[in-house]
Amino acid sequence: MATVSCIFAALIPVSPKNPCPLHEHSCTELVYYTKGHGLLELQDKQFAYNPGELSVSHARMPHADTPAVDGEQICFGVTGSMAETLKAGLWQNIPVEIGKDLLRLKCEMEHPTSPLKQTRIDLIAGWIIVELLRIQTPAASAPQTSTPKQVQSTREILDTRYNETINFEKLAGSLYISPDHLRHLFKQNVGESPIQYLIRKRLDAARELLTFTNQPVHKIAEQVGLENPYYFSRIFKKRIGCSPSEYRSRHQDNS
């Protein structure tokens, strides 16, 4: 099974008194509606959702949620496993087995913290993505064949192992290609170099953690693969335009 990284996962109570305003994520977000019903706004379209249905929104897709009654939702954000090829919008006919997997994910989220908790969440989320891709129409789920396999493999590794130390020379060697040629192919197909892509993925993950968790900034730096807090804060401010703490204070209220 292809690797997936679950950046955030949360069990969220919702209420008509507190609608979720228009916002976006840096990854693919899936929301499974376990209780209640309401209105999802996504890409200038509106979808009426009900219990047992699931919505998909991709990176930089603005979306909002207006609950009609008190309810509960399982929300999780992922990268990898071709999650970005899932059809965006509301999925109404979710197979029973996928529903059970989503409830297993809920159980893992509620489980006390343990060394393997994140690994279990990653595995369950990855399996859900793979099963959704399996039932999706082949034309919609087929990968882009014009992208070289080395670029696809590199992107998959950076999407799911951004929090690890990546040696690009070893990575290129494992793909039987020279580092220079890999950098050239990657930039030609993706629009930025592998290191620029990796930094962006790390900062995107950090932004999600700053918004949806209360972890200390130095812990978030470690979690996204930038163990030096000073370097993390410096590159965050350079790329995002404000410090991690300032970003958190601006976005946690809105979330």
Side-chain angles (χ1 to χ4, degrees):
M1 185 177 72
T3 306
V4 68
S5 178
C6 188
I7 297 177
F8 65 87
L11 179 64
I12 301 178
V14 297
S15 167
K17 297 178 181 179
N18 297 297
C20 182
L22 204 64
H23 66 288
E24 60 185 40
H25 296 282
S26 58
C27 58
T28 296
E29 183 193 40
L30 293 92
V31 179
Y32 183 63
Y33 306 101
T34 57
K35 298 177 184 178
H37 62 276
L39 196 65
L40 167 70
E41 180 181 342
L42 176 65
Q43 286 191 310
D44 299 324
K45 296 181 181 179
Q46 292 186 333
F47 304 89
Y49 64 79
N50 293 286
E53 298 176 345
L54 178 142
S55 67
V56 175
S57 59
H58 293 302
R60 308 304 172 214
M61 280 189 179
H63 54 285
D65 181 11
T66 305
V69 297
D70 290 349
E72 183 182 79
Q73 303 172 0
I74 299 173
C75 306
F76 61 105
V78 297
T79 60
S81 280
M82 296 172 59
E84 71 280 358
T85 66
L86 287 170
K87 181 183 68 174
L90 187 68
W91 293 51
Q92 295 179 310
N93 300 311
I94 300 298
V96 173
E97 290 305 315
I98 293 181
K100 290 180 179 178
D101 289 332
L102 285 156
L103 293 177
R104 290 190 189 99
L105 181 65
K106 172 186 174 182
C107 290
E108 286 299 333
M109 288 154 47
E110 295 173 334
H111 195 276
T113 301
S114 70
L116 293 177
K117 179 174 182 177
Q118 184 62 47
T119 300
R120 290 196 298 264
I121 287 176
D122 287 345
L123 288 171
I124 297 172
W127 183 250
I128 292 169
I129 299 301
V130 169
E131 286 299 292
L132 289 173
L133 287 169
R134 184 178 63 82
I135 65 174
Q136 185 168 273
T137 56
S141 62
Q144 295 294 324
T145 55
S146 60
T147 304
K149 289 183 178 179
Q150 296 95 331
V151 174
Q152 292 180 25
S153 297
T154 301
R155 191 168 183 173
E156 179 79 13
I157 290 169
L158 298 183
D159 279 348
T160 58
R161 294 170 51 193
Y162 59 84
N163 58 336
E164 301 177 17
T165 299
I166 304 292
N167 185 311
F168 285 102
E169 283 69 24
K170 290 183 179 179
L171 174 58
S174 70
L175 298 173
Y176 304 101
I177 188 175
S178 73
D180 286 342
H181 189 38
L182 177 59
R183 281 190 285 268
H184 171 73
L185 277 179
F186 194 93
K187 187 167 186 178
Q188 186 179 55
N189 286 271
V190 179
E192 56 188 337
S193 70
I195 188 64
Q196 290 172 329
Y197 185 88
L198 176 60
I199 291 173
R200 181 167 62 79
K201 295 301 295 186
R202 286 173 167 172
L203 294 183
D204 281 348
R207 289 163 66 185
E208 297 288 351
L209 291 168
L210 287 166
T211 301
F212 292 100
T213 77
N214 291 316
Q215 295 183 54
V217 170
H218 72 278
K219 287 292 185 182
I220 290 177
E222 293 176 6
Q223 195 166 331
V224 301
L226 295 168
E227 296 184 0
N228 185 319
Y230 173 75
Y231 175 71
F232 169 69
S233 295
R234 186 161 60 95
I235 197 168
F236 190 97
K237 187 169 185 177
K238 181 179 179 181
R239 296 292 184 97
I240 309 301
C242 61
S243 71
S245 297
E246 290 171 336
Y247 185 90
R248 167 172 275 166
S249 64
R250 292 177 188 174
H251 289 79
Q252 276 203 341
D253 289 341
N254 292 331
S255 69

